[in-house]
Amino acid sequence: MITLDNISFFYGEKQILKDFSLKIQKGDRICLIGESGCGKTTLLRLVLGLEKPTNGNIITTQKLKPSVVFQENRLLPFKTVLENITLVGADKADALRHLNALGIGDTANLKPDKLSGGMQRRAAIARALSADFNFLVLDEAFTGLDSENIKTAAEHILKTAGARPIILVTHSLEEAELFGAKIIKM
Amino acid sequence: MKLSKILKSTAILLLWLVVWQLAAVLINQEILIPTPLATFRALLVMCRTGKFYMSVLLSLLRIIAGYTAGVASGIICGILSYRFKTFKAVFSPILQLVKAVPVASFIILALVWLHAATLPIFISFLMVLPMIWTNVETGLSGIDKKYLEMAEVYKIDKLKVFFQIKMPFIMPSLISASLTALGFAWKSGIAAEVICRPKNSLGNMLQESKLYIETPEVFALTAVVALLSMLLELVIRRTLRRYTHDNPR
């Protein structure tokens, strides 16, 4: 589905990625693990099309429709949770279904600043799941959630994603295990 | 408005009326400072003439026309400057020039080009344009790129990004700039009227009162100008408030 072929990436003079290759296929759950600054987020940005590799190619076999939980929530402060979700093209009923599944159905009509950090995180997850996507990117998606909520969210993500591939970045091996993900150390 | 707030405002107003009365009594020359009562009498006399109402109406219309054109053009130019570097590069010197040149110079220059009745419109427009232009451009440039990246990933169409993400982000500062610009439009518009003296205008009435050394009339007209400015600001503030996301829906 997506092939990263000998990717290198520079931020100015600094090399972030060097000859990195990865194949992402249907049903894959891939977990990127590594120290801060090792290029995990850069790799996700490349896959999302937000950056272009300095060298190497990204080959796709079909039109990519990504969905993402960014490292930050990126919820628009002047829109309600539901409006934030429908803005990305999601269906209202779908959005509410995901919010309920993540335990924050009652926050649909609230603006993000009325939500706790954990609730905002789950709203960002609900947005990612409500969008029309064919692969899912999770960049430290569970920061600020307790273990119970992480488990619920992970189960719901797996159920929703089905055979669509998931790439996740995390510092926690337990989270990687919840996804049954193949771990790639960077 | 709470009763205590009304009482406080009234007390402050009364305090300044007393200061004004004391100054007028101490100086004791109506030609320099008329009493509040003499000013009020002059206002009542003016209010009995049709010319006064016609002047108020036409001055208001001129300034609102210039202001509206300035806000609309400022928004368009701000967006174009943000979007197209060439547009910014070409028009930046003109923007700087308009900001730097004193309003009186523009009024005198425009006197050569324009009819007296249209000059205040042009001057108000010219004062408002750069303020809104700069505000929109800097506002758009200052939007956190993270939200725009989110829109890019989800391929949200450009019109939706503009109206549902970018505009709401810049609305609070645009509203504040629009209100500041209104004060400038009003003051510069009246100043232009004083200099170019279009028929049926508050500026012309002010100039006539000054020529005949009718100081109470000058004071009364100044009060009318100030009151109208505050009223206009109130109306615009109320109208714009519904477009800001700080306002609970």
Side-chain angles (χ1 to χ4, degrees):
Chain A
M1 190 175 174
I2 312 168
T3 306
L4 307 178
D5 183 24
N6 276 316
I7 297 286
S8 295
F9 186 83
F10 285 83
Y11 264 127
E13 296 284 297
K14 195 181 172 195
Q15 183 158 28
I16 308 292
L17 291 170
K18 192 180 173 188
D19 301 328
F20 185 87
S21 294
L22 178 69
K23 217 169 205 171
I24 305 162
Q25 285 173 324
K26 200 175 163 189
D28 275 353
R29 275 83 174 99
I30 293 167
C31 178
L32 307 174
I33 279 190
E35 286 171 15
S36 294
C38 70
K40 303 182 299 284
T41 297
T42 303
L43 188 70
L44 295 187
R45 291 177 63 80
L46 286 163
V47 172
L48 290 168
L50 294 172
E51 304 284 357
K52 298 241 177 298
T54 315
N55 291 307
N57 293 307
I58 298 176
I59 304 152
T60 55
T61 54
Q62 65 185 92
K63 191 172 174 258
L64 294 182
K65 279 193 283 183
S67 194
V68 56
V69 179
F70 289 101
Q71 226 173 66
E72 322 80 12
N73 299 318
R74 304 194 190 191
L75 296 166
L76 295 165
F78 42 81
K79 289 195 177 289
T80 63
V81 168
L82 191 60
E83 286 167 344
N84 263 289
I85 300 176
T86 51
L87 181 72
V88 303
D91 181 67
K92 208 169 167 178
D94 244 9
L96 287 170
R97 186 168 60 82
H98 291 299
L99 287 172
N100 283 323
L102 293 165
I104 50 165
D106 53 348
T107 65
N109 295 315
L110 298 178
K111 288 190 180 162
D113 64 348
K114 300 280 177 243
L115 274 60
S116 69
M119 284 169 156
Q120 288 185 28
R121 207 69 197 125
R122 282 181 278 166
I125 295 171
R127 176 177 63 191
L129 296 178
S130 305
D132 177 24
F133 66 94
N134 60 12
F135 80 96
L136 183 64
V137 170
L138 307 173
D139 193 357
E140 296 181 26
F142 305 111
T143 309
L145 298 188
D146 58 42
S147 56
E148 195 57 40
N149 278 320
I150 292 176
K151 198 165 168 266
T152 311
E155 278 169 8
H156 185 63
I157 290 170
L158 283 168
K159 193 174 139 197
T160 306
R164 293 173 283 191
I166 301 172
I167 312 167
L168 67 142
V169 161
T170 177
H171 292 292
S172 153
L173 284 171
E174 285 168 15
E175 285 174 18
E177 275 171 23
L178 279 173
F179 281 84
K182 179 177 143 191
I183 293 169
I184 296 176
K185 197 166 182 325
M186 293 187 69
Chain B
M1 201 189 280
K2 280 182 184 170
L3 185 68
S4 62
K5 209 175 169 184
I6 297 171
L7 285 173
K8 198 176 162 189
S9 303
T10 314
I12 291 169
L13 185 70
L14 281 173
L15 170 79
W16 285 108
L17 279 173
V18 169
V19 172
W20 178 5
Q21 175 71 27
L22 281 174
V25 169
L26 279 173
I27 291 166
N28 198 24
Q29 284 195 58
E30 197 176 83
I31 206 167
L32 293 178
I33 299 183
T35 60
L37 194 65
T39 304
F40 187 65
R41 270 199 216 110
L43 180 66
L44 284 182
V45 171
M46 277 191 292
C47 286
R48 287 192 204 114
T49 63
K51 188 189 168 194
F52 172 74
Y53 296 104
M54 188 56 92
S55 298
V56 166
L57 180 70
L58 288 179
S59 288
L60 262 174
L61 284 178
R62 281 188 204 103
I63 289 159
I64 289 173
Y67 173 75
T68 311
V71 170
S73 312
I75 291 174
I76 294 168
C77 290
I79 294 167
L80 291 173
S81 281
Y82 162 73
R83 188 74 188 76
F84 305 107
K85 283 199 171 79
T86 318
F87 183 91
K88 187 179 175 178
V90 170
F91 287 98
S92 180
I94 294 178
L95 190 66
Q96 296 307 321
L97 188 81
V98 176
K99 279 186 195 167
V101 173
V103 63
S105 305
F106 274 121
I107 297 172
I108 291 162
L109 265 175
L111 260 172
V112 183
W113 307 326
L114 299 169
H115 188 266
T118 47
L119 193 137
I121 303 176
F122 176 70
I123 293 300
S124 298
F125 165 81
L126 215 55
M127 290 302 105
V128 174
L129 178 77
M131 293 177 81
I132 302 296
W133 183 336
T134 311
N135 186 277
V136 169
E137 193 204 329
T138 49
L140 287 171
S141 308
I143 294 173
D144 193 335
K145 298 282 179 288
K146 284 172 180 163
Y147 295 107
L148 304 180
E149 280 182 359
M150 181 273 292
E152 195 183 330
V153 168
Y154 288 109
K155 296 178 180 63
I156 301 173
D157 77 67
K158 284 186 176 161
L159 272 180
K160 218 170 172 183
V161 170
F162 183 76
F163 286 107
Q164 296 209 37
I165 299 179
K166 291 181 179 178
M167 280 313 278
F169 267 121
I170 69 164
M171 268 324 261
S173 76
L174 179 59
I175 287 171
S176 151
S178 300
L179 291 173
T180 312
L182 181 68
F184 277 88
W186 188 249
K187 279 185 260 188
S188 60
I190 297 291
E193 283 185 349
V194 168
I195 295 173
C196 73
R197 302 185 62 186
K199 201 181 160 197
N200 292 324
S201 67
L202 283 170
N204 190 33
M205 285 183 78
L206 262 168
Q207 183 67 291
E208 276 175 4
S209 306
K210 191 212 103 183
L211 286 176
Y212 299 119
I213 324 177
E214 293 284 355
T215 314
E217 261 186 36
V218 175
F219 269 61
L221 282 166
T222 307
V224 169
V225 169
L227 274 173
L228 284 173
S229 172
M230 284 190 268
L231 198 71
L232 202 60
E233 187 185 322
L234 192 75
V235 170
I236 293 190
R237 191 186 288 275
R238 291 245 164 120
T239 313
L240 291 177
R241 195 188 284 168
R242 72 184 66 167
Y243 297 108
T244 166
H245 54 79
D246 293 333
N247 183 35
R249 271 177 276 175

